[in-house]
Amino acid sequence: MKDSNFLKENNAKFLWHPMGHPGQLRAKTPKIITGASGVRIADIDGHETIDAVGGLWNVNLGYSCEPVKQAIAGQLDALPYYSAFAGTSNNAAIELSWELQEWFGADGLGRAFFTSGGSDSVETALRLSRQYHKVRGEAGRTKFLSLKKGYHGTHTGGASVNGNARFRTAYEPMLPGCFHIPSPYTYRNPFNESDPARLAELCAQALEDEIAFQGPETIAAFIMEPVLGAGGIIPPHESFMPRVREICSKNGILLIADEVITGFGRTGDWSGSRHWGVKPDMMCLAKAITNGYFPFGAVMISEAIAETFEDDTTGTANIGHGYTYSAHPVGAAAAIACLAETKRLNVAENAAARGDQMFAGVLKLKEKHALVGDVRGGHGLMTAVELVGDRASKKPVDKAIAASVAQTAYENGVMVRVSGHNILMSPPLIIGAEDVDRILAGLDAGLAAAG
């Protein structure tokens, strides 16, 4: 490896980073992370911090999960790659498909289509939903509905159903036929409604209105995150996703649950859909499926959809979609080991307990710091702090202030994520109570310095 002087000198000089301005990153270079262990990461200068970001919502088991590392190494020796296109398969992918139908059987999902990551999983679900309706003889169902503030990746289809202009404007025009309804975001919504249950019903009514306006016979699917993630960690009222399920079923519209973040225990349940008592038609997975150690994802498909495809005799159900790395044997082996360790450690239970601890701690910080306008969480290890310059007007702080909060937290041993004027925290699900307290202390220091 090149020495530290070389790395610092060339940081952001030749590498364009995702989600950043290439020119600005040359002036303010990214932190160079060179090591990690447990729930901690270390930068090139040896400064160690607790990773309150969990990689990018995905390192649920931390950075020292030996079973996953060993599974990857072993599979590289046995079969490092082979295609899973229609003529061939591999043993690891077959075993993983069985494990996943066992895992998500409670969600009514019994088939797996493997991908290279979350954006691929969303793209796959959108495409399969259109094909499903064509197989059933309803070729006019091509439109998609989603939530404002929702995030569904960066491919053209996923970006088109995204509900945040940040991921859309520079790349428009997007896919036609995508429409958005208000999200159940109590702090900011067009209804000026702060009661979560009432807001959930208003958003559900907006969905029904949009369906009636577009015509249900034109709509393929509604896609949503059970808890909105990158849009600011927005948990809906418990009534919202069940109402969405009801509305979709009534109108023949598929419900796609984007669980790239919420799958595998982050909400305190094994899936976000299960957290709300809902069975989706398809579920998008990635991130924690391999603990971030290998790029891999999946779409889980309901038995009803599976039967429609598998019983087709016209050829319409032939799947003309897939990726070079679909069902990659190394990724599948990593996922098998990751699922086993996730179950063994029962990380969902810890996520619920530590999530309650973190949410309670952040609520106390709101009482202490006027900079905090809103806090969101209470459903596993997903917690957001929304920063405002004035609580009465809810005016967001400048980006520089949010960045300074994060920088001071980093100097105090905690890595958090800045998204606009929100501070987001999603640490590994194995984190202990003492480290949650340290995260809160680091955030407290950041807020105090900026306020």
Side-chain angles (χ1 to χ4, degrees):
M1 189 177 78
K2 300 290 187 181
D3 64 25
S4 61
N5 288 333
F6 174 90
L7 296 173
K8 289 179 180 180
E9 180 183 346
N10 290 285
N11 188 6
K13 187 179 288 186
F14 305 107
L15 170 63
W16 276 17
H17 290 262
M19 303 298 178
H21 187 292
Q24 291 176 1
L25 287 172
R26 281 194 168 202
K28 186 177 170 118
T29 55
K31 296 175 176 65
I32 303 174
I33 307 303
T34 58
S37 178
V39 300
R40 286 167 167 76
I41 56 175
D43 66 23
I44 197 167
D45 296 315
H47 179 63
E48 188 178 85
T49 63
I50 297 171
D51 183 15
V53 188
L56 200 60
W57 317 84
N58 57 344
V59 188
N60 284 9
L61 304 178
Y63 294 94
S64 304
C65 190
E66 287 303 318
V68 180
K69 294 178 183 180
Q70 292 169 13
I72 290 171
Q75 188 61 46
L76 283 169
D77 282 339
L79 178 68
Y81 173 76
Y82 208 77
S83 163
F85 277 33
T88 52
S89 187
N90 67 76
N91 56 316
I94 295 167
E95 182 179 343
L96 177 59
S97 69
W98 187 88
E99 291 285 353
L100 287 171
Q101 62 84 27
E102 286 280 296
W103 189 287
F104 293 107
D107 300 291
L109 305 168
R111 305 292 189 280
F113 187 102
F114 294 124
T115 72
S116 307
S119 291
D120 285 354
S121 293
V122 169
E123 204 78 5
T124 297
L126 295 177
R127 296 191 76 184
L128 289 180
S129 67
R130 281 183 169 179
Q131 186 176 10
Y132 165 79
H133 292 297
K134 286 181 171 63
V135 174
R136 295 180 65 252
E138 293 189 79
R141 288 185 178 267
T142 61
K143 297 175 184 174
F144 300 113
L145 302 179
S146 57
L147 293 173
K148 293 177 180 177
K149 305 295 288 184
Y151 179 77
H152 303 289
T154 56
H155 293 349
T156 297
S160 299
V161 294
N162 276 351
N164 189 322
R166 176 187 171 197
F167 307 111
R168 299 169 51 90
T169 305
Y171 310 102
E172 291 176 336
M174 306 304 291
L175 185 72
C178 299
F179 304 93
H180 301 77
I181 67 163
S183 63
Y185 175 21
T186 53
Y187 193 61
R188 301 181 192 274
N189 62 78
F191 310 107
N192 196 28
E193 179 58 68
S194 59
D195 177 74
R198 176 62 181 152
L199 178 59
E201 182 56 33
L202 289 170
C203 292
Q205 289 174 11
L207 172 60
E208 289 188 297
D209 181 71
E210 189 65 27
I211 291 170
F213 176 74
Q214 297 294 335
E217 72 283 357
T218 71
I219 302 170
F222 180 90
I223 183 169
M224 68 171 286
E225 303 162 276
V227 176
L228 280 70
I233 303 181
I234 302 170
H237 185 264
E238 62 185 12
S239 65
F240 182 67
M241 197 171 181
R243 279 284 284 129
V244 169
R245 172 72 280 180
E246 175 190 342
I247 293 165
C248 287
S249 297
K250 182 175 68 176
N251 290 282
I253 297 167
L254 298 183
L255 174 59
I256 302 170
D258 184 343
E259 303 234 20
V260 171
I261 288 174
T262 54
F264 304 107
R266 185 154 292 280
T267 64
D269 286 292
W270 290 127
S271 75
S273 298
R274 208 175 306 179
H275 187 72
W276 302 124
V278 169
K279 292 183 177 180
D281 296 297
M282 284 188 271
M283 182 183 290
C284 303
L285 301 167
K287 292 192 183 291
I289 196 170
T290 62
N291 201 45
Y293 291 6
F294 194 92
F296 199 82
V299 177
M300 296 303 297
I301 299 157
S302 72
E303 294 288 349
I305 293 179
E307 289 174 8
T308 298
F309 274 81
E310 292 165 6
D311 294 345
D312 172 67
T313 58
T314 68
T316 312
N318 184 64
I319 295 173
H321 172 79
Y323 304 98
T324 299
Y325 302 109
S326 289
H328 196 296
V330 178
I336 292 165
C338 188
L339 291 179
E341 193 69 356
T342 298
K343 289 178 185 176
R344 185 184 74 81
L345 296 173
N346 193 14
V347 296
E349 183 177 83
N350 190 60
R354 300 285 71 78
D356 287 346
Q357 177 189 355
M358 181 174 285
F359 187 51
V362 173
L363 285 171
K364 290 180 180 178
L365 293 181
K366 182 182 178 183
E367 297 174 2
K368 183 177 179 182
H369 300 285
L371 197 60
V372 179
D374 190 35
V375 299
R376 295 180 293 277
H379 298 273
L381 272 169
M382 304 172 68
T383 308
V385 175
E386 184 164 345
L387 306 180
V388 295
D390 175 66
R391 282 186 178 176
S393 66
K394 301 182 183 180
K395 180 183 177 181
V397 297
D398 294 334
K399 290 182 180 179
I401 293 177
S404 72
V405 172
Q407 179 59 32
T408 303
Y410 186 78
E411 292 165 1
N412 281 267
V414 178
M415 173 71 88
V416 297
R417 184 182 178 198
V418 177
S419 178
H421 57 284
N422 293 296
I423 303 293
L424 308 183
M425 292 171 290
S426 53
L429 304 190
I430 61 167
I431 197 166
E434 289 184 1
D435 280 338
V436 170
D437 285 339
R438 291 187 181 100
I439 290 171
L440 293 167
L443 181 59
D444 187 13
L447 292 167

